[in-house]
Amino acid sequence: MAWSTREMAVLAGTSLRAVRHYHAIGLLDEPERRSNGYKQYGVSHLVRLLRIKRLAALGFSLSQIADMRDGPGSDPDPRDLRALDEELAAAIERLQHARAEVGALMRRTATADLPLRVASVDETAELVDPDRSFVAVLGTVLGPSGMDASRTCSMTSRSRWHANSTSFPPMRTSRRARVSLSVSYLTSEVSGSSIPG
């Protein structure tokens, strides 16, 4: 069985450009040429091309594929598989988070300028621009786990302040005053000082 470059690309579900690129970087051996000068690919070329395509679809880089042994039963190194699995898990987590944010935006329960974990539309509606900017930067600097930790700290500090002090502002206090107090608390936690109040 012999195929042209175009026929092999079609059989493998890839492009002529990809086949030529694999030749250029040494991933796919050049086949012999027919008497008319055209390349003549065999089954071994198609099997190799399918392997390259499969490994690339799993997430291996072309340089990693080039370093792998070839032939029947020659699977990727278990260390490479573990590293790829970790990368895929991280990518899935990022995609799930992005999907949750898109869903919240579609439901109009979040705003595009603030991270999802920071606040809902109702909670941030009254924030003035400087406060929104601060929250947006804080969300970026701390990241999702840092924002979760700061929310936990805020809830814990509120109960500690309430238990240890009569000066904790009631919920009827203006949002600006509560945001200011939260910023003050977060700043004190970052610098390691004690809870104000």
Side-chain angles (χ1 to χ4, degrees):
M1 192 57 81
W3 302 287
S4 68
T5 308
R6 181 178 303 280
E7 290 169 333
M8 192 173 79
V10 169
L11 283 170
T14 192
S15 66
L16 276 171
R17 185 177 179 186
V19 173
R20 291 179 181 137
H21 179 66
Y22 298 154
H23 285 312
I25 63 173
L27 269 181
L28 186 62
D29 293 335
E30 291 274 352
E32 293 182 15
R33 292 186 179 268
R34 297 178 183 160
S35 58
N36 61 7
Y38 289 104
K39 294 176 182 171
Q40 180 175 323
Y41 292 91
V43 173
S44 64
H45 295 101
L46 179 59
V47 169
R48 175 66 179 159
L49 182 57
L50 291 170
R51 178 180 167 84
I52 293 166
K53 187 178 171 197
R54 175 166 165 67
L55 292 170
L58 289 174
F60 286 106
S61 69
L62 295 181
S63 62
Q64 287 174 308
I65 295 170
D67 292 339
M68 292 178 189
R69 292 179 296 125
D70 205 10
S74 57
D75 291 329
D77 186 295
R79 291 173 294 191
D80 292 336
L81 289 170
R82 278 191 295 279
L84 179 60
D85 185 57
E86 289 171 10
E87 289 174 23
L88 291 172
I92 289 168
E93 187 176 334
R94 281 191 304 275
L95 289 171
Q96 287 174 333
H97 180 71
R99 188 162 185 235
E101 289 210 21
V102 168
L105 289 170
M106 288 186 335
R107 292 186 303 278
R108 299 189 184 274
T109 58
T111 62
D113 62 333
L114 298 174
L116 182 61
R117 284 184 160 100
V118 173
S120 69
V121 170
D122 293 338
E123 294 170 332
T124 59
E126 297 175 23
L127 285 179
V128 293
D129 285 344
D131 292 338
R132 288 184 85 82
S133 298
F134 173 76
V135 172
V137 170
L138 188 66
T140 300
V141 170
L142 294 180
S145 59
M147 289 307 294
D148 288 344
S150 71
R151 180 181 291 121
T152 302
C153 286
S154 295
M155 290 188 291
T156 303
S157 68
R158 184 168 193 269
S159 63
R160 280 191 278 168
W161 274 333
H162 187 65
N164 299 325
S165 171
T166 57
S167 64
F168 187 81
M171 289 308 287
R172 67 180 175 274
T173 303
S174 74
R175 176 171 283 300
R176 185 161 181 79
R178 284 183 279 142
V179 167
S180 176
L181 185 59
S182 296
V183 169
S184 168
Y185 171 73
L186 286 173
T187 305
S188 71
E189 283 293 308
V190 169
S191 67
S193 63
S194 60
I195 297 172

